[in-house]
């Protein structure tokens, strides 16, 4: 009902565009709160007289629940955002809107710093409470690449999401050299987002994960009867090969 709610006599659709943008930003903020659980650390203030830890990693259960929520509410295309009438009146598109939110989430979840923190947190968690990086990637794959297990057609929104996922994995294992800023404030901001470029478990898990994804995609090629899906799977195969062997021709 945004079109009706924002309508003003003798005015254009600037109000509609602004309101829809705010809805999108609010949805993005909700997702950000959920993502904070992944690799997160809980702080319980204590005095020296009180027993117990001050800092503990988020429980594995809560982290897996967060990923499950994102798979269901964000990575499964949020159809409620796809309002054709809004797009026709504002010039926006579904691919731009949904793709932007999903890409932001992938950039955050698959950041080197977050994954490094997960590895470090595993040294504090008790055995079965540890949430390894490879398990996180497996959980994401189950939601984002669910069609590869069934051979189901992959629509354009999911094709975009899957391509963005592979590109983020590529950036994770093949980080680009970042120029060092001369400004101290900019340098501090850069350092705050960086992690170890080849930290323990992260790169090895990512490479293993990509190999598994490639095998799944190749199997799915033989199952699908949808032409565009097969073309997409062939492109995923190419992207993964390039990520695993960036210098190969």
């Amino acid at each position: 009902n945004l079109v009706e709610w924002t309508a003003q006599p003798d005015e254009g659709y600037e109000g509609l565009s602004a309101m829809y943008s705010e809805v999108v930003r609010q949805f993005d903020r909700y997702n950000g709160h959920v993502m904070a659980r992944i690799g997160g650390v809980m702080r319980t203030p204590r005095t020296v007289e009180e027993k117990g830890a001050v800092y503990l990693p988020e429980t594995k259960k809560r982290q897996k629940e967060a990923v499950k929520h994102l798979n269901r509410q964000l990575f499964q295309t949020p159809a409620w955002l796809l309002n054709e009438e809004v797009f026709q009146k504002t010039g926006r598109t579904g691919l731009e809107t949904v793709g932007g939110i999903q890409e932001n989430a992938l950039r955050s979840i698959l950041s080197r710093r977050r994954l490094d923190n997960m590895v470090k947190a595993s040294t504090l968690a008790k055995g079965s409470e540890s949430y390894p990086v490879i398990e996180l990637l497996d959980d994401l794959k189950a939601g984002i690449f669910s069609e590869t297990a069934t051979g189901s057609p992959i629509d354009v929104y999911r094709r975009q999401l899957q391509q963005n996922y592979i590109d983020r994995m590529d950036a994770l294992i093949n980080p680009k050299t970042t120029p060092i800023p001369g400004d101290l404030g900019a340098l501090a901001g850069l350092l705050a987002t960086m992690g170890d470029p080849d930290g323990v478990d992260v790169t090895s898990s990512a490479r293993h994960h990509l190999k598994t994804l490639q095998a799944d995609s190749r199997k799915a090629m033989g199952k699908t009867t949808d032409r565009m899906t097969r073309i997409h799977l062939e492109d995923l195969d190419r992207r993964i090969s390039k990520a695993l062997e960036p210098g190969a021709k």
Side-chain angles (χ1 to χ4, degrees):
N1 295 324
L2 283 180
V3 177
E4 296 177 8
W5 294 341
T6 58
Q8 295 292 329
D10 302 319
E11 292 189 11
Y13 292 99
E14 291 78 9
L16 172 62
S17 181
M19 183 62 71
Y20 182 78
S21 294
E22 182 55 37
V23 170
V24 172
R25 283 193 292 269
Q26 186 61 42
F27 182 51
D28 204 20
R29 286 192 286 269
Y30 286 149
N31 293 322
H33 292 313
V34 175
M35 285 184 282
R37 293 184 179 181
I38 304 173
V41 175
M42 298 179 292
R43 180 177 182 272
T44 305
R46 300 184 192 277
T47 65
V48 293
E49 292 81 14
E50 297 176 299
K51 295 182 179 180
V54 175
Y55 295 96
L56 281 176
E58 188 64 84
T59 65
K60 180 178 182 177
K61 179 182 178 182
R62 284 170 65 89
Q63 292 186 73
K64 289 179 75 71
E65 286 175 347
V67 175
K68 183 177 180 180
H69 174 89
L70 293 169
N71 276 337
R72 184 175 60 249
Q73 301 296 336
L74 174 60
F75 296 138
Q76 182 175 320
T77 309
W80 62 273
L81 279 176
L82 304 179
N83 188 311
E84 184 176 346
E85 186 177 9
V86 170
F87 296 154
Q88 290 174 345
K89 288 177 167 55
T90 63
R92 301 183 65 137
T93 68
L95 282 176
E96 169 197 6
T97 301
V98 172
I101 300 172
Q102 292 175 335
E103 185 174 4
N104 286 342
L106 291 176
R107 189 181 299 274
S108 176
I109 297 170
L110 298 176
S111 69
R112 169 68 63 171
R113 186 173 182 83
R114 185 188 300 272
L115 300 181
D116 281 344
N117 286 343
M118 290 183 69
V119 175
K120 294 171 184 175
S122 69
T123 65
L124 301 175
K126 296 179 180 179
S128 62
E129 274 299 304
S130 173
Y131 190 32
V133 170
I134 190 61
E135 189 169 346
L136 165 65
L137 299 179
D138 287 343
D139 289 343
L140 288 171
K141 178 170 76 78
I144 295 174
F145 293 88
S146 59
E147 297 92 342
T148 60
T150 61
S152 302
I154 305 172
D155 69 29
V156 65
Y157 292 100
R158 296 279 287 182
R159 294 198 297 268
Q160 177 179 247
L161 170 62
Q162 293 172 6
Q163 287 179 354
N164 285 339
Y165 184 90
I166 298 303
D167 289 347
R168 293 313 310 159
M169 294 297 296
D170 184 4
L172 182 63
I173 65 177
N174 300 303
K176 294 180 180 179
T177 303
T178 304
I180 302 299
D183 178 74
L184 289 179
L187 177 59
L190 173 64
L191 294 175
T193 61
M194 293 176 64
D196 187 338
D198 196 17
V200 61
D201 286 357
V202 175
T203 300
S204 57
S205 295
R207 291 184 65 85
H208 174 82
H209 177 65
L210 278 179
K211 291 176 181 178
T212 302
L213 267 177
Q214 188 170 47
D216 290 347
S217 297
R218 289 175 175 175
K219 289 178 182 177
M221 288 181 205
K223 298 178 183 178
T224 186
T225 57
D226 181 72
R227 185 182 184 190
M228 199 62 235
T229 295
R230 182 176 179 82
I231 292 172
H232 167 68
L233 292 171
E234 290 172 350
D235 184 61
L236 289 188
D237 186 38
R238 177 190 63 81
R239 289 170 185 260
I240 294 173
S241 293
K242 182 181 178 182
L244 291 173
E245 299 293 340
K249 295 183 179 181

